[in-house]
Amino acid sequence: KGAVRFAGRFGRLPAGAVAGEQVGVAFDELAGFAKPGLTAPALATAAATLVTFLQGYLVARGLGLAVGFWTLSAGLAAVSIASLLPVSVAGIGTREATLALYLAPRGLGMSSILGFSVAYFVVVSGSLALLGAGAWMIRPSESTVPAS
């Protein structure tokens, strides 16, 4: 059922496509998780992802890079996935390689890509650190609150 919907959106699956059937089963199982209580977290995740893409776009604009929002967002989505590989610390290296593979064919030079990658890492990590610091100041963990 899910494979048929998926194939209808993106083309036809070859007859006897085992991978397509597995994708369909995965979609069917995911549909079973769709409950009203997941709407708010899903919307919050989508909003956070959009903010991250916007941060990346603003960093690119600030550096004077000629790259569109959607092009950069697709590259940053690939970076997000590649950064999950357990081959480096904080995705350093995998982020740069993924951006190079994605943005170099679109006309950006390696120095621009590496500069953007470092600036993006600092901006995203810095904003997360500031949000975490703010949350801690509002409600510090009980282990750090002095006993009265």
Side-chain angles (χ1 to χ4, degrees):
K1 182 165 81 174
V4 173
R5 285 193 307 259
F6 184 75
R9 287 182 149 216
F10 299 103
R12 298 282 174 228
L13 293 173
V18 176
E21 293 169 9
Q22 291 172 348
V23 168
V25 170
F27 278 137
D28 290 340
E29 292 297 321
L30 283 173
F33 287 120
K35 294 181 174 45
L38 293 178
T39 302
L43 290 175
T45 300
T49 301
L50 183 62
V51 167
T52 301
F53 291 165
L54 183 60
Q55 284 177 316
Y57 179 69
L58 292 174
V59 168
R61 293 288 304 228
L63 294 174
L65 302 182
V67 62
F69 176 79
W70 295 112
T71 299
L72 187 60
S73 294
L76 292 175
V79 164
S80 179
I81 294 168
S83 295
L84 296 174
L85 295 172
V87 294
S88 72
V89 176
I92 295 172
T94 55
R95 178 179 40 260
E96 288 75 15
T98 304
L99 284 170
L101 286 171
Y102 191 78
L103 296 176
R106 287 159 177 80
L108 291 177
M110 285 304 295
S111 60
S112 296
I113 293 170
L114 291 175
F116 168 75
S117 180
V118 170
Y120 175 74
F121 178 72
V122 169
V123 167
V124 170
S125 297
S127 63
L128 291 174
L130 287 174
L131 285 172
W136 182 81
M137 289 170 58
I138 291 169
R139 188 172 178 188
S141 70
E142 294 180 17
S143 64
T144 60
V145 176
S148 9

